Amino acid sequence: MADTDTVVVRGRDSLPVDSTARDTLEVPRPDSAAQADSAARADSAVVADPAARVDPAAAGDSAASDTLEAAPADPPFPQPDDIFGLLLEEAGYQAVQYRGRRVQLDVGEEAVHLEREAQASYEQALIDADTITYRAGLQFVRACGGISMTGQGQDAVSDQCLHYDVSGTKGTILDARSSFAERGSEWFTRGNTTLRGSGTAFVETGNFTSCDVEHPHYYFRAGQIKVVSNDIIVAWPVTLYIQDVPVAWLPFFAQDIRDERRSGFLPPRFGVNDVVASSSNSRRSVTDFGYYFAFNDFMDAQATADWFSGRFTRLNGALRYRSIKKFFRGNILTSYSVGNEKTFQFQMRHNHELTPVTDIRVNANFVSNTTVFERQSFDPAQQTQRISSDVGIQHRFPFASVNLSGSRRQDLGAQKGRTDLTLPKLQMTFSPLTLFRAPQNRRGPFNNIVVSGGMSASRLDRTREEQDGQRTERASANSAIRIGSFGVSGNANFDRQLKLPFEPMAGGGEGADSTDAPERPPGVTKLTYGAQADYQVDLIGSTTFRPTVSMDASQFRSENTNGEYVTAPMRLRVGAAVSTDLYGFLPGFGPFERVRHKVSPRFHYDYSPAVEASDSILSIPGFPVSNSKQENRLRLTLNQTFEAKLREEVELDPEAQAHLEGRSLEGDSLGAATDSVPLAEGALDVAADSAAVAADSTVFEAVADPERGVQDAPPGTGSGTGDPDAPRRGQPRRNVVILGINSSPLTFDFARENLSPLTTDRWSHRINSDLLRGLSLNMSLDLFEGSGEEQSFAPILSSLTGSFTFSSASGLGGLLGLGGGGGGSQSAAQSRLQTATDSRYRLQSFDENPDAQDPGMRAGGPWTLSLTYSMQRGRESETSRDRQSLNAVLSLNPTPNWRLAWRTSYNLSEGEFGEHLITLDRALHRWMATFMFARSPNGNFIFQMSVNLRDAPDLKFDYDQQSQGRPGSF
C-alpha cells in the first residue's frame, strides 16, 4: 500500500456488555467511489480526513493511485463527526477508539494497524505507541516502540512491546517503567509488568526505587512485585543494591501506600547488638512493639511494649484527640513498668474552649516512684525537671476576668522529695471602668474617671519526705481610682504560715490515736493594709515629677503573742519620684550614621517619722515593723543605653531585621538563663512606685524620641498616596543597641545612726548587646561583710551569669547581612532523644508530633555556638561553696548534607561533665544516616546509630545500646 498523508480512522468494537454477541468492525465510508475503490485493493482502505474531503470527480481521478492527498503533513487530528457520536451513544456496547497518522484496515481478519502517533483507548485505558495492531476478533492489542500507557490506576512507559487483552483487561509490558505516589514520595518500578484489572500490576524480575535520578543511587531488585494503586506494594524476595552493589537481602518487602491514617501493627525496634551480643555483659532490648489504632481523622491511639533484659518490661499507652466543632484537644500518656523496677507514670493534657469566654485547661503529671523514674530515664532534661500538674478554668465576665486553678509541683534532682501543692488559687481582675466618659477636647475635671481593681487567694502546702511541711495561705485585694493626673489606691494583704508536722505511718497494725495528737500551733499570721495618693506632673520632654503620700498598718499573731492579734503602729510616708531621660549624641563610624547615649536616672525619696512601739513588741520574731525610728530614704536607679543608627545604604538580611525588631529567632534557646539572677531586695518596691511614671513616660517618649522603633514620618513625605500631606508608611527599625546596662536601685537611709547610709546589700546589673546575638550578662555584687555595727563595706562579685550565641552570622556581620543564617536549634535533637527512649512521646498532639526519624535538618549557617556560664561565690568567712558551671550548645552545618549538634554541661568546680547529647546526621539523597549519644547526670547513657530510608521509615538498620551507670562514671 502506498504511503499517505494524514488519515484518521475511528472505529468501534461491537463488543456487547454481556460479552456473548459477535464482534464486528464498523468503518464509516465517505462516499460510494471510495467504497468501490477500497474493495478493489485487497480489502484495505485508507480513508481521508473528512475535513479534507473532495468531490466525486476528484475521487474518480484518484482511483489509479488509490491515495487521497490531504492537507499538509501532520495536521491536528479532527474532532469526531456526527456518525461517530451516534455510534458511541449506542447502548449495550463497549467502544474501542483508535487513531493514527496511517491506518490499515483488514476487514477479513477484523484487524486495524496504526502507525505514526498511534493511539488506542478502551474504557479508562489509553495506549500511545509508534505502532499499534488491534485484532477485534481476538480482542487483543499489540503495541511496539515508544509505549505510554495511562489509566487503570497505573501509568507505564516502555521502549519494547505491549500485549494487552481487552476482554480480560490485563496485559504485559516488556521492560516497563512506571511510578506511583506514596505520602509525598514518588516510587519508580521497572521490569516486565503485567496489568490486571483496575489499578493492579505485577512486575516479574524487576526493580523499584524512590531515587529520581537517571541512574538510581539505590534500588531494590525482586523476583516478584505486586502494586495495588493507592493501597500497597509487596515484593519478594528482595535484594538491596547501592551503586549496583548488593548490600542486603530481605525475604519480603511490604509498604502501605495509602494516604489516609489507618490502624495496624507497629514494627518493633531493635539493633544489631540485640541480635548478636557484643559481650557477655551486654543487655538486649526490644521496644515499640504494639498496635496503632486510627479511630477517625480526629482520634487515634497506640499500645506498645518495651522489653529490657534483666531490668524491666514497660507497657505504654497513648491517646490523642481533637474536635474542631467542639473546640477541644488533648492527649493521654501512660506507662507501667514491671519486673525489678516498678513505677507508674500518667500524663494528660486537655484544652477545651467551652464558650468564647470560658476556657478549661488540664495538665496532669504523676510518677509513683521518682527514684525508679530517674533511673530508667536517659534524657538529661527529664532528670532535672519538675513534675508539674495544673488544672484551671477561666471565665471572662463583662466586668471582670476570673481564673480558678490548682497546681502540684514535684522536684527531681537535687531537690528530690519536695512537693508543692497549690489548691485552690483564685485570681479575679476587674476590667477598668471609665466613668463620665467624654471626648478629650471637651472633658472636665471629673470626666474620664478610671476605676480598677483585683483580688486573689491561694493556699500552698510544701512537704518533704520524712520532714515537717509548711502551709502558706495568702489573700490580697487592691483597687485604684484615677482622675486625670491624680490617683488614689488601696490594698489589703493576708498571709498565714502554718507548720505541717510529719506524721509517719503507724506500724504493727496499731494506729495512733488522733485524740492524743498535739494541737496544731496557730502559726504566724500577718494582716497588712494601706493606701496611697499620688499626682503626676509632666515637665519638659519625658521628665515627670510625682509626689506621693501613703500610710500602712498591720496586725500580727503568732505563738509569741499567745495567739492574740497585736496591732503594729501605723506608718506615714511622704515622698516624691522624679524620672527623666538624658541624651547625648556622638559621631558615627563605619556603617553607623551616628551614636546616641541615653541615660535614664530615676530618683525616689520618701520620709517616714518615727512611730511609738515598745522594744518587747519589736523583738517578736517575724513582727512586720522592724524598728520604730524615722526613715529618710532615697532610692536611685540608673540605666544606660548606647544605640547606633544604621546608614540608609546598609541592607539587612531578614534574620538581622527580625532580631532588631525583637522577634523570636530560632536557635536562641538559652534566653531563660537571663532571669536566673534576682534583683536586689527592694527592687519590686521601686518598680511598683514607678509603674505610673513608666506608663506615661513611655507614651511621651515615643513622640519626643522619633529615632526609636517604627514610627510615622512627618506629613508631606507620603509615598505613593498622591497626597503630599499623607503620613509616610512606618519604616522598619534600624537602630542597633551597642551596649545596654540596667541596674537595680541603690537605697540610702540618711536617718541611720552609727551605720552606713547605704542599705542595699546586693547590687545587680544586666548587660545586653545586639552585636552578639542573644548576649545577656547578669552580675550581682555583695556590698557588705558582717552585720550590725560590725558591718563593713567590702564589695565582691557574688554571682555571674552570662549567655550569648556565636555563629557565622553573629556580630556586626550578621546584622549587616554579611553572613548566612544561624544553625538549627537543639529542639530537634531533644525530640529525637525523647522519642528514642519512649515511644509514647510520638503521639502527643496533632500539631506537635516529634518523629525520631526526622533529624530536623535545615539549610543553615555553617556553625552556631551558644554558651551559658554561671558562677555563685560566697565570702571566705562563710561556709557556702563556690559553684561554677558552663553549658554549651554547638550546631555545625559544614555542608547542606551534614549536621552536627552537641549539647553539654560542665561543672567547673568539680571538674566533670554533667550531661552530653551528641547527634550527627548525614543526608544520603533518599536515605538518612544518624548517630546519637546521650549521657545523663545519673550515669545512664544511650548510643544509637541508624540508617533509614526516608520514603519508608520502617526500613532501617539500627545499632542501639542503652546502659545504666553511676553518676560521675563518665
Side-chain angles (χ1 to χ4, degrees):
M1 183 174 185
D3 294 337
T4 65
D5 289 326
T6 303
V7 292
V8 176
V9 175
R10 299 186 182 272
R12 179 178 63 82
D13 175 24
S14 304
L15 179 64
V17 177
D18 57 7
S19 302
T20 58
R22 63 179 181 86
D23 297 337
T24 61
L25 184 66
E26 300 180 7
V27 180
R29 305 295 183 180
D31 52 32
S32 58
Q35 183 176 2
D37 183 66
S38 63
R41 301 299 183 212
D43 293 334
S44 62
V46 178
V47 184
D49 187 343
R53 190 173 300 170
V54 296
D55 55 20
D61 295 338
S62 62
S65 62
D66 200 18
T67 303
L68 296 179
E69 295 293 322
D74 298 342
F77 286 108
Q79 296 296 325
D81 54 14
D82 295 338
I83 298 177
F84 186 76
L86 294 175
L87 293 176
L88 290 179
E89 295 175 358
E90 188 173 348
Y93 293 91
Q94 297 285 348
V96 177
Q97 304 180 41
Y98 43 87
R99 71 181 185 183
R101 294 296 178 183
R102 181 174 180 176
V103 181
Q104 292 180 341
L105 301 179
D106 191 332
V107 180
E109 297 184 3
E110 298 183 359
V112 179
H113 182 71
L114 312 176
E115 296 182 357
R116 295 174 55 198
E117 300 185 36
Q119 184 182 96
S121 63
Y122 178 74
E123 293 184 344
Q124 297 179 353
L126 178 65
I127 302 175
D128 290 287
D130 293 340
T131 62
I132 298 178
T133 300
Y134 171 60
R135 298 184 178 274
L138 300 177
Q139 293 290 292
F140 193 81
V141 176
R142 184 177 187 273
C144 294
I147 298 172
S148 174
M149 181 174 181
T150 60
Q152 300 288 347
Q154 187 82 17
D155 299 340
V157 297
S158 176
D159 295 329
Q160 302 295 323
C161 293
L162 173 147
H163 305 276
Y164 191 78
D165 184 358
V166 177
S167 60
T169 64
K170 61 181 180 179
T172 299
I173 309 176
L174 303 180
D175 193 26
R177 301 181 300 276
S178 62
S179 64
F180 58 90
E182 187 265 330
R183 284 180 290 185
S185 302
E186 189 172 9
W187 288 78
F188 307 92
T189 62
R190 184 166 187 171
N192 296 336
T193 303
T194 300
L195 306 178
R196 293 185 180 179
S198 177
T200 302
F202 290 87
V203 181
E204 183 177 358
T205 312
N207 305 336
F208 63 96
T209 180
S210 61
C211 185
D212 54 359
V213 299
E214 183 177 358
H215 299 287
H217 298 135
Y218 87 96
Y219 57 88
F220 296 94
R221 174 163 292 177
Q224 298 289 334
I225 305 174
K226 179 180 179 181
V227 180
V228 180
S229 180
N230 299 322
D231 192 356
I232 193 173
I233 173 174
V234 182
W236 69 93
V238 178
T239 303
L240 172 62
Y241 285 80
I242 297 180
Q243 297 292 356
D244 295 327
V245 177
V247 297
W249 178 87
L250 299 173
F252 69 92
F253 176 91
Q255 179 71 17
D256 198 324
I257 59 177
R258 289 176 292 178
D259 293 333
E260 70 277 2
R261 295 185 299 121
R262 61 273 180 191
S263 302
F265 286 96
L266 298 175
R269 184 174 62 186
F270 54 89
V272 177
N273 59 310
D274 296 318
V275 179
V276 180
S278 58
S279 66
S280 59
N281 297 327
S282 62
R283 295 183 175 181
R284 295 178 172 88
S285 63
V286 178
T287 60
D288 297 358
F289 178 73
Y291 195 84
Y292 172 79
F293 303 88
F295 302 112
N296 50 52
D297 292 338
F298 304 100
M299 178 181 292
D300 57 1
Q302 74 176 24
T304 60
D306 303 331
W307 173 74
F308 300 88
S309 64
R311 294 170 52 197
F312 64 92
T313 299
R314 183 170 56 202
L315 304 178
N316 307 311
L319 170 70
R320 64 176 178 177
Y321 53 88
R322 179 184 63 175
S323 175
I324 299 178
K325 295 182 178 180
K326 300 297 183 180
F327 303 101
F328 67 81
R329 66 175 58 199
N331 69 295
I332 299 175
L333 309 176
T334 61
S335 69
Y336 179 69
S337 300
V338 297
N340 298 333
E341 302 175 355
K342 296 183 179 180
T343 183
F344 174 75
Q345 184 182 3
F346 175 83
Q347 295 184 19
M348 177 180 180
R349 182 173 57 182
H350 178 81
N351 294 281
H352 192 177
E353 186 178 345
L354 293 177
T355 67
V357 295
T358 305
D359 300 326
I360 292 179
R361 68 183 186 279
V362 177
N363 183 18
N365 294 274
F366 174 77
V367 176
S368 62
N369 192 324
T370 57
T371 302
V372 175
F373 175 77
E374 289 185 72
R375 189 161 54 242
Q376 294 181 357
S377 175
F378 294 88
D379 188 355
Q382 289 185 352
Q383 298 180 9
T384 57
Q385 69 177 351
R386 304 185 71 185
I387 302 175
S388 303
S389 301
D390 63 86
V391 57
I393 180 172
Q394 181 180 7
H395 184 79
R396 293 174 293 277
F397 293 97
F399 60 90
S401 176
V402 180
N403 190 344
L404 179 62
S405 63
S407 63
R408 185 180 184 271
R409 303 288 185 267
Q410 186 176 358
D411 289 338
L412 299 179
Q415 298 293 333
K416 184 175 63 175
R418 191 182 74 176
T419 303
D420 295 344
L421 176 62
T422 303
L423 185 69
K425 183 177 181 181
L426 174 65
Q427 291 179 318
M428 185 173 184
T429 303
F430 294 96
S431 304
L433 177 62
T434 303
L435 304 177
F436 312 112
R437 188 184 300 271
Q440 188 73 13
N441 58 350
R442 293 190 299 173
R443 69 172 185 175
F446 297 102
N447 289 116
N448 298 334
I449 300 176
V450 180
V451 181
S452 61
M455 58 179 296
S456 64
S458 64
R459 187 179 71 175
L460 169 64
D461 289 347
R462 175 167 294 176
T463 58
R464 294 180 178 271
E465 294 181 356
E466 300 184 356
Q467 295 183 14
D468 293 339
Q470 180 178 341
R471 171 173 294 176
T472 302
E473 299 175 350
R474 289 192 175 98
S476 64
N478 64 85
S479 61
I481 180 172
R482 193 151 201 93
I483 307 174
S485 298
F486 177 74
V488 178
S489 62
N491 64 84
N493 299 277
F494 173 82
D495 188 304
R496 181 165 62 181
Q497 307 283 340
L498 299 176
K499 182 180 180 181
L500 300 177
F502 173 69
E503 299 179 358
M505 297 293 295
E510 296 180 358
D513 189 358
S514 60
T515 59
D516 297 335
E519 184 180 355
R520 179 177 298 179
V524 178
T525 304
K526 296 179 183 179
L527 178 60
T528 61
Y529 43 90
Q532 176 179 304
D534 65 88
Y535 185 83
Q536 180 169 308
V537 180
D538 296 331
L539 303 177
I540 301 175
S542 60
T543 304
T544 61
F545 174 74
R546 185 166 65 97
T548 60
V549 177
S550 65
M551 57 182 179
D552 57 77
S554 60
Q555 291 184 344
F556 178 80
R557 184 182 71 170
S558 69
E559 292 180 320
N560 299 306
T561 63
N562 297 323
E564 302 291 337
Y565 278 101
V566 176
T567 302
M570 181 178 295
R571 276 259 185 206
L572 175 66
R573 286 185 173 86
V574 179
V578 178
S579 62
T580 187
D581 294 322
L582 305 177
Y583 298 93
F585 295 92
L586 304 175
F589 60 93
F592 302 119
E593 184 176 346
R594 59 176 176 173
V595 178
R596 182 183 67 182
H597 180 203
K598 176 184 176 183
V599 181
S600 302
R602 304 288 187 267
F603 302 91
H604 182 86
Y605 172 80
D606 65 76
Y607 171 79
S608 177
V611 296
E612 296 181 0
S614 62
D615 294 338
S616 60
I617 295 180
L618 296 178
S619 62
I620 297 176
F623 197 71
V625 179
S626 59
N627 65 84
S628 60
K629 299 178 181 180
Q630 69 173 359
E631 297 177 354
N632 190 9
R633 295 182 177 181
L634 174 66
R635 284 195 290 271
L636 172 63
T637 306
L638 183 65
N639 298 325
Q640 300 184 65
T641 303
F642 290 88
E643 286 185 304
K645 184 178 181 180
L646 294 173
R647 302 183 187 276
E648 294 295 335
E649 61 271 15
V650 176
E651 296 182 359
L652 295 176
D653 60 13
E655 182 181 5
Q657 185 63 55
H659 178 60
L660 290 181
E661 295 178 359
R663 300 198 300 267
S664 60
L665 289 174
E666 186 179 6
D668 290 346
S669 58
L670 302 176
T674 60
D675 298 327
S676 58
V677 178
L679 295 179
E681 191 172 351
L684 296 178
D685 297 337
V686 176
D689 292 342
S690 59
V693 180
D696 292 340
S697 62
T698 302
V699 176
F700 190 88
E701 207 172 319
V703 180
D705 185 17
E707 293 190 43
R708 301 187 57 185
V710 179
Q711 63 277 334
D712 291 338
T717 58
S719 176
T721 61
D723 184 2
D725 296 329
R728 187 176 58 186
R729 180 175 299 178
Q731 300 298 319
R733 177 179 175 232
R734 296 177 62 84
N735 292 350
V736 179
V737 177
I738 299 177
L739 181 64
I741 305 175
N742 297 322
S743 304
S744 63
L746 290 173
T747 304
F748 300 87
D749 189 352
F750 300 102
R752 302 175 65 182
E753 298 178 359
N754 302 324
L755 295 174
S756 171
L758 181 61
T759 62
T760 301
D761 295 328
R762 173 169 292 191
W763 194 23
S764 301
H765 305 272
R766 179 175 178 177
I767 302 174
N768 65 288
S769 174
D770 286 340
L771 298 184
L772 288 177
R773 188 173 60 133
L775 172 64
S776 180
L777 185 64
N778 296 273
M779 56 186 300
S780 296
L781 302 174
D782 278 349
L783 302 181
F784 293 96
E785 181 177 9
S787 60
E789 295 182 357
E790 299 180 356
Q791 188 181 61
S792 60
F793 184 75
I796 64 168
L797 180 63
S798 60
S799 66
L800 176 64
T801 303
S803 63
F804 53 89
T805 301
F806 287 113
S807 72
S808 58
S810 291
L812 187 60
L815 292 177
L816 303 183
L818 302 181
S825 66
Q826 59 176 329
S827 59
Q830 185 67 33
S831 298
R832 288 175 54 197
L833 173 61
Q834 191 179 53
T835 55
T837 57
D838 195 335
S839 61
R840 297 173 303 141
Y841 294 102
R842 300 179 188 172
L843 208 65
Q844 296 202 14
S845 73
F846 287 90
D847 297 329
E848 299 172 326
N849 192 11
D851 185 2
Q853 305 301 334
D854 182 8
M857 295 187 62
R858 60 186 290 267
W863 60 272
T864 300
L865 176 62
S866 301
L867 297 175
T868 300
Y869 172 79
S870 176
M871 184 270 291
Q872 301 290 332
R873 186 175 65 173
R875 296 184 182 272
E876 297 181 358
S877 59
E878 301 176 353
T879 58
S880 61
R881 299 178 56 186
D882 296 345
R883 298 188 302 272
Q884 298 185 66
S885 63
L886 178 66
N887 297 332
V889 177
L890 173 65
S891 178
L892 183 64
N893 289 74
T895 69
N897 295 326
W898 280 96
R899 183 177 185 271
L900 170 66
W902 177 35
R903 190 191 74 191
T904 185
S905 64
Y906 184 75
N907 190 328
L908 298 174
S909 302
E910 302 293 337
E912 64 179 12
F913 285 95
E915 64 177 73
H916 285 288
L917 175 57
I918 302 174
T919 60
L920 178 64
D921 305 310
R922 174 65 166 94
L924 303 170
H925 196 200
R926 309 309 304 179
W927 291 78
M928 176 64 66
T930 63
F931 165 88
M932 182 178 66
F933 172 80
R935 179 188 177 273
S936 304
N938 64 354
N940 292 355
F941 76 87
I942 178 173
F943 177 78
Q944 186 182 84
M945 291 189 300
S946 175
V947 179
N948 67 281
L949 181 60
R950 286 182 171 182
D951 305 312
D954 294 333
L955 180 60
K956 55 188 175 182
F957 304 93
D958 284 346
Y959 179 88
D960 191 349
Q961 182 178 356
Q962 301 178 12
S963 176
Q964 290 180 327
R966 294 174 299 173
S969 61
F970 180 70

